[in-house]
Amino acid sequence: MLNLNNKKYLTYLLLIFPPALVSGPFLPDLILTISTIYFLIFLIISKNLTFLYTNFFKIFVIFYLYITTRSFFTEEILFSLKNTFFYFRFFIFAYLIKYLIIYEKFFLNLFCKSFLITLVIISFDAIIEYIYGVHWLFDKSSYQEFTGNYRISGLFDEEFILGGFIVSFFPIILLLHYSFIDPKKIKLRYLSLIFFFILFVIVVLISGERASLAKLGIVSILTIFFT
């Protein structure tokens, strides 16, 4: 029988969240929905709903009521409500991650590794596609976007979000990875940081996304500064 008072299930769900992001919107949204419902039930059973009651909660409630109310003044009310009414799950999901970071000792380290492995697989896959001109998982030659203007999308198939995905996540994941390495192993810390940084920069460059390149410049400066 499923023990709803066990935080381990929440940890397992979130560890598969990073690779699920690559598959498209369905799996991440499913994991997010299941984990937030489970988390709410867990808080109710453990009588710990006060964990959600912070100043951020008050700000979010005001924002949530604002966007939901605005939906009633649009031409497509049902379509708009579909996006705004269930928006609260993102708030709960953020608190779920916060809760696990506080109360699950190894969660942040494991979550970071899951994200880092996902980014590395995406990166090597994109480099292979760039070098050989074809994708080993599926044939892209018939895609309209590739006719006369070849671009790298990697595991994202027809969605050209490779560069944006890497830039969005690699700075915080890379710095978290750096912090988890034993400070005594100073060479390993710097070598791993330099290796992954160069790898992700190369992938963003070959993705050909101009907006991502601009973000990369800012991220690179901030990463070097904070390191």
Side-chain angles (χ1 to χ4, degrees):
M1 185 176 179
L2 185 63
N3 182 8
L4 294 175
N5 204 31
N6 193 335
K7 299 189 292 292
K8 295 295 182 182
Y9 296 119
L10 293 170
T11 301
Y12 299 147
L13 271 175
L14 263 67
L15 289 182
I16 62 175
F17 184 73
L21 287 171
V22 186
S23 66
F26 175 74
L27 277 180
D29 197 54
L30 180 64
I31 293 172
L32 187 148
T33 303
I34 293 174
S35 59
T36 51
I37 293 173
Y38 189 103
F39 183 51
L40 277 176
I41 295 172
F42 170 78
L43 289 178
I44 293 170
I45 292 175
S46 59
K47 299 179 180 179
N48 195 22
L49 277 174
T50 52
F51 181 78
L52 300 176
Y53 301 153
T54 63
N55 289 330
F56 180 66
F57 172 78
K58 299 173 184 177
I59 295 171
F60 177 81
V61 168
I62 295 171
F63 174 71
Y64 176 73
L65 291 175
Y66 169 73
I67 61 174
T68 306
T69 303
R70 278 183 60 91
S71 297
F72 289 99
F73 296 94
T74 60
E75 294 182 359
E76 298 288 341
I77 296 177
L78 291 179
F79 179 79
S80 182
L81 278 175
K82 183 183 69 174
N83 295 316
T84 58
F85 187 74
F86 295 103
Y87 193 80
F88 65 87
R89 69 190 193 280
F90 295 107
F91 166 80
I92 298 172
F93 188 71
Y95 269 81
L96 165 58
I97 294 177
K98 175 185 175 181
Y99 186 92
L100 291 176
I101 290 174
I102 294 174
Y103 295 105
E104 287 293 304
K105 184 178 180 182
F106 299 105
F107 168 74
L108 188 58
N109 190 359
L110 293 174
F111 188 69
C112 171
K113 288 180 179 178
S114 176
F115 236 123
L116 186 61
I117 291 171
T118 301
L119 292 176
V120 169
I121 292 174
I122 291 172
S123 299
F124 278 113
D125 175 82
I127 291 172
I128 291 171
E129 181 182 344
Y130 180 78
I131 293 173
Y132 293 101
V134 293
H135 198 271
W136 57 281
L137 274 181
F138 32 76
D139 181 22
K140 297 183 177 182
S141 59
S142 60
Y143 292 179
Q144 184 179 355
E145 292 83 353
F146 281 82
T147 306
N149 184 27
Y150 185 79
R151 292 178 61 189
I152 303 296
S153 63
L155 292 174
F156 292 100
D157 200 3
E158 293 184 275
E159 292 186 278
F160 295 98
I161 58 173
L162 173 65
F165 187 88
I166 296 290
V167 170
S168 297
F169 293 110
F170 96 78
I172 183 65
I173 298 301
L174 206 56
L175 291 176
L176 280 173
H177 169 72
Y178 175 85
S179 67
F180 284 122
I181 298 177
D182 188 349
K184 296 179 181 179
K185 300 178 181 178
I186 190 68
K187 289 185 178 180
L188 177 61
R189 297 185 89 191
Y190 281 114
L191 285 175
S192 63
L193 186 67
I194 293 170
F195 170 76
F196 290 124
F197 184 80
I198 293 174
L199 174 65
F200 297 145
V201 166
I202 290 173
V203 174
V204 175
L205 289 173
I206 66 177
S207 72
E209 299 172 29
R210 295 179 182 178
S212 298
L213 290 175
K215 293 177 184 177
L216 177 64
I218 299 172
V219 165
S220 300
I221 294 172
L222 291 175
T223 302
I224 293 170
F225 175 77
F226 283 110
T227 304

